[in-house]
Structure formats: structure tokens, C-alpha cells
Amino acid sequence: MEPADDVPDAVLLAALRAGDLDAAGRLFRRHAEPLWRTAGAWARQPAERDDLVAETFARVLTIVRAGGGPQGDLRPYLVVTLRNLVARWSRQRNRVELWATVPESGRSTGADELALHRSNARLVWSAYCTLPGRWRTVLWRTEAEGGTPTEVAPSLGLSPNSVAALAMRAREGLRQAYLQVQVPEPEEPACREPRRRMGAWVRGALPPRRADAVAGHVAACRACRVIAHRLDEANRELPGSAARLTG
């Protein structure tokens, strides 16, 4: 039997923020089994519980390594994240089950849609991790934890109005980043700069001169035109889905 680990969560979390990856493993070993049991309230299949626990830890520990997240007891933070993750996956599954009742459907629509949903969730998380630390913090506090600007303001040293404005900028930044992480690396040197700005361009966030430069390149480059078209389709779906961190 593995010896008991009596080091407080707060100490391990501080060590993780300082770059000690062993602390992440100790936190996982401490909290994974209780969290797995908690996941049983929503997920019947062991494999689905495993997915929920793994995704929950990945999200929370990434936030901690970036300097955010809880300072003390980790368990409540994990449970809130798990609950929000379950809500998102459940809404997706309900839509899948409705679509799967169409008689003409001869393929595994539910499995395909769930895989697509999880793929999109990973894209959102990748985009989130590219944001500045202050944006990540305000998004986590307002979106994942559901805090109001008034509740969040003291911890950020801002007024509630400033928190609301910061959260609005961060949400827009997340939308642009979500699109940008879907842009593949170019093979042609001439495509590098336009592609680097393509997420912001699709969102209409570039200054006129830079926007014109990207538009001119896209008009002349078939490969970038295809990518821009796909991003435009993804952008149309943003306001109610990928613009949020969790359910």
C-alpha cells in the first residue's frame, strides 16, 4: 500500500505553480478516486467516468500551472469543474440522441457527434491556454465558477465595472484564439503572416490596413481561402458554444 500523503493541498498547489510536476501526480492520486465516485452520479459507464475525471484534472491543473485556480482545498474546485463539464457533455448527448432517432440514419451519429464535441472542447481549451494570464483568470472566475463581477472584483483588485469590461475583452480574445488554433502551419512563406492573423481577421478585429492585407492574400491564395471559409463557418457557431469555457 502506498504511504499516506499528509502534505496539504495548498503546499502541493504552490509547488505545482513553481514547476514541480510531481506535485500534480500527488494531487491526482489524492483526489482521483473520490472524484471518480462523484462522477458516478452522472456517468454510468466506467470509461465515461474516466474521461470526465481525466478532462477535469487536465483543465484544473493547467489553470494552476498558469498561476490561477484554488489556493487551498482542491476538491471543491474539481467538483465544480466536473459538474460544468458534465452539463456540457449532457447537452451534447441529448442532441445526439434526438438526431439518432432519424430512421434513415445508417451510421453511428451519436458516437460521431460526441467525438466532434470532445474535439471542439479540446480546441477551446487549447485556445484558452494561449490567452494572457489575466484573461484566463477572469474567464475562469466568471465562466467556469460562475462568479459575478461584484464577487470577482476583490480578488482581481478591480471595480465590478472593470471586471465586466475585462471579461468582455477576454471572451472576445477566446473567440479569436479558438479560431486561430484551427489554422494549420503554412508551407509557403508568403502565407505565414496572413495565417498568423486569420482568427482576428475573421472576427473583424484587425485594423483596416492589416485587414486589407489579409483579405488581399486570401483572395489570391486558394489554400488560405479554403481555411478562411472553414473559419468563417466555425465563427458562426461561436456565440452560444465555443465562446464559453464550460457549461
Side-chain angles (χ1 to χ4, degrees):
M1 176 179 293
E2 188 172 311
D5 187 346
D6 296 328
V7 179
D9 280 4
V11 174
L12 293 175
L13 289 167
L16 179 58
R17 289 188 179 94
D20 182 0
L21 297 183
D22 179 64
R26 294 167 70 180
L27 288 166
F28 182 84
R29 289 191 294 272
R30 175 178 296 175
H31 294 292
E33 185 176 349
L35 195 65
W36 196 85
R37 291 196 297 268
T38 300
W42 297 288
R44 294 186 297 271
Q45 298 299 321
E48 188 173 10
R49 293 193 210 181
D50 290 343
D51 285 348
L52 283 169
V53 170
E55 186 72 12
T56 297
F57 267 95
R59 292 180 178 218
V60 172
L61 295 183
T62 299
I63 288 293
V64 172
R65 289 190 65 190
Q71 300 294 325
D73 188 6
L74 181 62
R75 187 78 53 81
Y77 211 85
L78 289 167
V79 172
V80 168
T81 304
L82 175 69
R83 183 191 65 197
N84 289 327
L85 190 61
V86 166
R88 291 190 67 190
W89 288 11
S90 295
R91 285 197 297 270
Q92 180 68 21
R93 184 183 297 106
N94 289 339
R95 290 196 291 270
V96 168
E97 288 171 352
L98 287 173
W99 294 340
T101 61
V102 179
E104 293 77 13
S105 177
R107 60 190 179 90
S108 179
T109 306
D112 290 346
E113 290 297 331
L114 187 56
L116 177 61
H117 170 75
R118 292 182 180 179
S119 174
N120 285 341
R122 292 188 190 96
L123 286 173
V124 175
W125 188 246
S126 296
Y128 173 81
C129 291
T130 70
L131 297 178
R134 201 161 176 81
W135 284 10
R136 293 197 303 267
T137 298
V138 76
L139 285 173
W140 189 267
R141 296 296 307 280
T142 58
E143 297 291 328
E145 294 182 334
T148 66
T150 300
E151 293 167 339
V152 173
S155 65
L156 292 178
L158 299 171
S159 69
N161 285 343
S162 295
V163 170
L166 179 65
M168 183 171 63
R169 292 196 301 273
R171 284 192 292 270
E172 174 57 27
L174 180 61
R175 294 183 180 106
Q176 293 178 30
Y178 171 79
L179 297 177
Q180 190 60 44
V181 296
Q182 300 179 59
V183 178
E185 288 294 325
E187 296 180 1
E188 298 296 330
C191 299
R192 287 175 188 163
E193 185 64 17
R195 290 199 192 182
R196 189 172 71 84
R197 302 181 184 278
M198 200 167 280
W201 176 68
V202 169
R203 292 290 300 171
L206 289 181
R209 182 177 297 179
R210 288 181 176 173
D212 289 346
V214 175
H217 175 84
V218 168
C221 176
R222 183 179 181 277
C224 289
R225 193 160 57 248
V226 169
I227 293 168
H229 177 71
R230 290 174 181 168
L231 289 191
D232 183 62
E233 291 179 343
N235 183 49
R236 296 172 190 275
E237 300 174 358
L238 275 176
S241 55
R244 295 182 60 85
L245 271 178
T246 62

